[in-house]
Amino acid sequence: MILLKKQKKYAWINVKVCMLVLFVNGMVMQTYGIFIPHMRDDFGTDTASVSLAVTVLNAVMVLFGPIAVKLVEKWKMKRVLPVALFAFAIFITGISYNEKLKMLYLLYALCGCCMYFGIFYLCPYIVNHWFGDNAPQVIAIIIMFLAIGGSIGNLVLAKITEISTWRNAYRFVAVLLVITAVVTAIFLKDDQEEVGLERPKQGLKKENKESQERKNTITIENVYRQTEFYCVILYVACMQLCVSVQSQIPNLALSFGFTTAAGAIAASLNSCGGIPAKFLLSICNVKIGVLKSVLLYNLVGICGIISLLVFQNPICLYIFALLFGFTIGSSTVQLPVLSTRLFGCSADYDKIHSRIVLISGILAMPGSFIAGWSYDRTGSYQVALLALIVNLTIAAVAVRIALRKKGGRNS
């Protein structure tokens, strides 16, 4: 009984630390769009050139994964994460004082290295070490704070930028990162063995014998011959392309003739949409199945895009931002659901999952840059919005193919 109480105590302390880290990372990751018009004017360049910095950050963040894994294996998360957060604060501060576009790319790339730990690594690491079979529910709870951070961050940082400059907004974020690093260094419990507890039994819910045997035959060597592997990659890549366009929402509002304040509100609503999306998705996956959940969520996003294309007024901008945020907010939860459902019983699951993240991330890298480039060439985001509809449709088809053999209520 005492061990059980300790297990719950330390597990939920780690969850709270993880929530804080994701909240602050969300304030950075989901607020790029607030600064794009200001950086464009400050650096005397175009939207595509500034958007390229976001593309560089996302590219480095994905490619840094294998290095991050080795660092944590050698030094443990409790040592690595606070250092990464302190370094993140230094690079963010550097951005606030930088005057050169090329240096902006370098600083964003360095930020991408630091962000990998908070965005992609920390949540699965904590959940797998402390929660075992309850991982899907805990992941949904924790990842909501990424969206909450983006929602609050868009409003707060937009207000700081309005009354001061975008540089001071970044300095404010740097202070929050330092505070987060200190809290992490003090409270994060790296491993159960450190506090005298045994690891929880890992595993998934029991499945039928045939499915179990099929999954056990999937290894990192033969996964490349599995159609499901490429379908999950295609789904994630399409959804990540949509997520990368998220940074263009404030500039999108300006392109339709709306005010800067309207763009900030839309960006905040976009992040808000991801909060209920993550919570409701776990329910939808159980009640109507994964495939129908993907179809439903993507249809919601397509309806939001169509409403903006057809009516083009501030109300429809807000509706689009909210519904689109609801749709793309599902991808961070649905990815681990799909990968564990299809490859979870494989001894090489961790390697397979990391390959999915890496390959899909590389495919999705150009999203923000392409959207900015399209705007510079056409003066409109209509082409980008139509491309989003195509992306969401392809993503749904990919999931349908991946789950075609599953059958049953939860497929």
Side-chain angles (χ1 to χ4, degrees):
M1 181 63 69
I2 293 176
L3 287 177
L4 181 60
K5 289 182 178 179
K6 284 186 177 181
Q7 161 75 21
K8 291 182 178 179
K9 172 186 175 182
Y10 291 118
W12 286 105
I13 288 175
N14 283 341
V15 166
K16 291 172 183 177
V17 171
C18 190
M19 288 175 176
L20 175 62
V21 173
L22 282 173
F23 178 86
V24 178
N25 274 269
M27 289 190 71
V28 181
M29 185 178 185
Q30 300 189 8
T31 58
Y32 302 130
I34 292 293
F35 306 114
I36 286 178
H38 302 282
M39 286 183 173
R40 180 186 61 202
D41 297 338
D42 210 355
F43 288 102
T45 185
D46 54 22
T47 304
S49 297
V50 176
S51 299
L52 182 59
V54 181
T55 300
V56 170
L57 183 148
N58 290 331
V60 173
M61 183 163 56
V62 171
L63 296 174
F64 188 70
I67 300 174
V69 172
K70 291 185 180 299
L71 289 174
V72 173
E73 286 178 350
K74 183 175 182 179
W75 299 104
K76 299 294 185 182
M77 183 65 80
K78 186 175 180 65
R79 294 178 182 176
V80 174
L81 184 59
V83 173
L85 290 170
F86 274 120
F88 195 1
I90 292 171
F91 299 142
I92 287 290
T93 304
I95 291 173
S96 71
Y97 287 100
N98 174 54
E99 300 287 348
K100 297 180 179 180
L101 186 62
K102 291 183 179 179
M103 183 58 69
L104 180 69
Y105 296 152
L106 175 60
L107 290 169
Y108 263 61
L110 294 172
C111 286
C113 297
C114 301
M115 288 180 70
Y116 184 89
F117 295 98
I119 300 298
F120 288 118
Y121 202 158
L122 180 61
C123 177
Y125 183 89
I126 294 300
V127 169
N128 288 331
H129 276 70
W130 293 84
F131 287 93
D133 290 338
N134 295 320
Q137 294 90 334
V138 178
I139 287 174
I141 294 171
I142 294 175
I143 292 181
M144 280 196 296
F145 279 78
L146 187 65
I148 293 173
S151 176
I152 296 175
N154 273 298
L155 294 177
V156 172
L157 299 183
K159 189 64 178 178
I160 294 175
T161 302
E162 180 183 340
I163 62 178
S164 182
T165 65
W166 68 269
R167 297 179 184 276
N168 284 334
Y170 262 155
R171 289 163 193 156
F172 172 74
V173 173
V175 173
L176 292 181
L177 284 167
V178 171
I179 295 172
T180 305
V182 173
V183 171
T184 302
I186 295 173
F187 292 104
L188 182 66
K189 302 299 179 183
D190 186 69
D191 204 336
Q192 294 177 344
E193 295 171 359
E194 286 187 355
V195 291
L197 296 174
E198 295 180 359
R199 290 176 181 272
K201 183 179 179 181
Q202 299 295 314
L204 307 171
K205 294 181 179 179
K206 292 182 179 179
E207 299 184 62
N208 62 68
K209 186 176 180 181
E210 181 181 352
S211 175
Q212 185 85 4
E213 290 176 350
R214 186 186 74 83
K215 288 181 179 179
N216 281 329
T217 63
I218 301 176
T219 65
I220 191 63
E221 287 79 17
N222 66 25
V223 73
Y224 296 102
R225 296 195 294 270
Q226 303 289 329
T227 304
E228 295 93 333
F229 177 71
Y230 295 101
C231 288
V232 175
I233 288 175
L234 182 58
Y235 165 76
V236 179
C238 288
M239 297 303 291
Q240 287 302 313
L241 278 170
C242 294
V243 172
S244 64
V245 177
Q246 183 182 44
S247 64
Q248 299 289 332
I249 287 180
N251 205 48
L252 180 148
L254 295 176
S255 73
F256 278 100
F258 306 136
T259 63
T260 301
I265 294 172
S268 181
L269 288 173
N270 183 255
S271 297
C272 283
I275 300 173
K278 294 171 174 57
F279 176 76
L280 294 175
L281 186 59
S282 59
I283 299 174
C284 290
N285 282 341
V286 173
K287 295 295 184 181
I288 65 176
V290 175
L291 176 59
K292 291 182 180 177
S293 295
V294 171
L295 294 174
L296 176 62
Y297 270 66
N298 287 16
L299 181 61
V300 168
I302 290 172
C303 289
I305 296 169
I306 292 174
S307 68
L308 179 60
L309 285 171
V310 172
F311 297 105
Q312 299 185 10
N313 59 58
I315 299 300
C316 288
L317 172 68
Y318 299 150
I319 292 174
F320 154 75
L322 187 63
L323 296 184
F324 187 60
F326 184 85
T327 296
I328 62 178
S330 66
S331 61
T332 50
V333 178
Q334 207 65 285
L335 168 58
V337 170
L338 285 169
S339 60
T340 52
R341 181 178 296 278
L342 294 169
F343 312 110
C345 293
S346 168
D348 291 333
Y349 168 71
D350 290 341
K351 294 179 180 178
I352 294 171
H353 181 75
S354 66
R355 294 293 192 283
I356 293 172
V357 173
L358 178 63
I359 298 173
S360 60
I362 292 173
L363 293 174
M365 284 176 190
S368 182
F369 172 76
I370 292 174
W373 178 85
S374 173
Y375 169 73
D376 288 334
R377 295 297 180 274
T378 65
S380 170
Y381 280 100
Q382 291 187 355
V383 174
L385 291 173
L386 291 172
L388 292 180
I389 295 176
V390 175
N391 268 343
L392 293 174
T393 303
I394 294 173
V397 172
V399 174
R400 174 67 184 91
I401 297 173
L403 297 176
R404 71 191 186 283
K405 298 179 181 178
K406 292 294 295 178
R409 184 175 180 79
N410 290 325
S411 58

